[in-house]
Amino acid sequence: MRVMSKGRWKTWLSAALTRLMRPRADAAARSGMTAGGGLGAPSRQCRPGTVYLVGAGSGDVELLTLKAARLLGEADAVVYDRLVGDEVLALIPAGTERCYVGKARGQHSVPQGEIGARLVALAQEGKSVVRLKGGDPGIFGRLGEELSALAEAEVPAEIVPGITAASAASAALGIPLTDRAHAQQLRFVTAQLCRQGGEPDWQALARRDETLVFYMGLGKLETICRKLRDGGLPDDWPILLVANASLPEQRALVGTLADMPDKLAASPLPSPCLIVVGSVVRLCETSPASPLSGVNARPD
């Protein structure tokens, strides 16, 4: 198999985007507009005054969608989060206006209302704006709040999905989130209580025929494990923690609801960290795509 270096990959991506943009450039020429193409040579085919709410994926630049990469090359301004990977940001052409609005637990962050106001202001200046969010913008990404701010100001918007952390983590650990022998259902759960009465129905979540994925739950791991056990899951029910999924610094812990809090205390993981609960986690031990399986064990 040919292995492509990151430099060659970027060259290939630039050529691919140029081919992708050719029909748009032809249409622009027919309508009297001008267009460029490729990375570093923005075509400016985005509609001025439009905000594109774009998913940056899990951080690995090679998991970014072609549409997201194209929009980054065309934007007048990019408003981005803390969890957007450096290699993804490197695709933004020099001269494009950048605005960092990242949030981190325990640190000062830009209020959500201010982010919405900034998007509106940039669009009202006639700029095409990419609002770049880690993962998928529609999964615990406060997409609804930003859409509301844009709708109130009558600013047009477009949503571009990205690979969410749950998909990236399950792929990186070589397991399916839904396997016929293990999971009839899949639930994404936020561990952040954003509304009154937002406490999950733990008994309803404590099922053996589904996979649970908790976002933003590292600080509440002990509570999650205890509540699921109280709800009816056994002490030895499998649980997986994944930090920096799909990135070189990826780290993971596999355990049970009973022992995972102690495992995490002994081997702390950085936040944000995804929590996967369900019998599919057991497949980490046998999957040929899992770095934790015996298939990939290195000889002594």
Side-chain angles (χ1 to χ4, degrees), residues 246-265:
S246 79
L247 296 174
E249 56 269 30
Q250 172 182 300
R251 293 177 58 197
L253 286 175
V254 176
T256 67
L257 293 178
D259 66 20
M260 183 56 84
D262 289 337
K263 283 192 172 185
L264 180 62

Side-chain angles (χ1 to χ4, degrees), residues 40 50 101 109 130 150 152 183 208 212 218 229 241 244 253:
T50 299
V101 293
S109 60
V130 166
L150 296 172
E152 186 175 347
R208 302 189 190 207
L212 300 175
L218 189 63
R229 291 162 67 195
L241 272 57
N244 296 314
L253 286 175

Side-chain angles (χ1 to χ4, degrees), residues 20-276:
L20 182 65
M21 283 302 304
R22 191 168 294 135
R24 298 169 181 267
D26 292 344
R30 288 194 297 270
S31 63
M33 297 170 62
T34 60
L39 293 179
S43 63
R44 303 304 179 198
Q45 288 298 297
C46 288
R47 290 171 289 160
T50 299
V51 175
Y52 298 84
L53 302 127
V54 176
S58 58
D60 182 350
V61 67
E62 293 179 308
L63 295 180
L64 191 70
T65 66
L66 283 174
K67 185 167 186 176
R70 175 177 63 78
L71 290 172
L72 285 176
E74 297 174 350
D76 296 306
V78 177
V79 180
Y80 64 99
D81 283 343
R82 178 175 71 94
L83 298 179
V84 176
D86 290 340
E87 289 185 316
V88 174
L89 294 176
L91 298 179
I92 303 172
T96 300
E97 183 178 349
R98 299 186 185 203
C99 181
Y100 175 69
V101 293
K103 293 180 171 66
R105 193 177 72 178
Q107 299 179 18
H108 173 73
S109 60
V110 179
Q112 187 60 43
E114 186 176 325
I115 295 174
R118 195 168 302 182
L119 294 174
V120 169
L122 288 168
Q124 288 179 339
E125 292 173 7
K127 296 175 179 177
S128 58
V129 184
V130 166
R131 171 67 173 106
L132 195 60
K133 294 170 169 285
D136 182 277
I139 299 179
F140 304 128
R142 296 198 169 186
L143 176 64
E145 295 168 64
E146 293 177 8
L147 285 172
S148 294
L150 296 172
E152 186 175 347
E154 298 184 345
V155 171
E158 182 177 328
I159 302 168
V160 179
I163 293 178
T164 187
S167 296
S170 64
L173 272 295
I175 60 173
L177 288 173
T178 57
D179 181 274
R180 287 190 299 173
H182 295 271
Q184 305 285 316
Q185 300 181 102
L186 169 65
R187 294 201 220 191
F188 293 166
V189 185
T190 175
Q192 303 295 312
L193 302 182
C194 300
R195 58 183 175 82
Q196 189 174 6
E199 179 78 12
D201 183 343
W202 293 104
Q203 191 166 2
L205 291 177
R207 295 178 54 140
R208 302 189 190 207
D209 63 346
E210 71 177 13
T211 303
L212 300 175
V213 181
F214 290 88
Y215 285 68
M216 300 166 287
L218 189 63
K220 297 181 173 65
L221 175 70
E222 187 172 354
T223 298
I224 290 171
C225 291
R226 175 170 46 83
K227 292 284 191 177
L228 288 175
R229 291 162 67 195
D230 291 345
L233 288 178
D235 290 353
D236 64 352
W237 197 241
I239 180 171
L240 165 69
L241 272 57
V242 188
N244 296 314
S246 79
L247 296 174
E249 56 269 30
Q250 172 182 300
R251 293 177 58 197
L253 286 175
V254 176
T256 67
L257 293 178
D259 66 20
M260 183 56 84
D262 289 337
K263 283 192 172 185
L264 180 62
S267 302
L269 296 179
S271 180
C273 185
L274 206 71
I275 301 171
V276 182

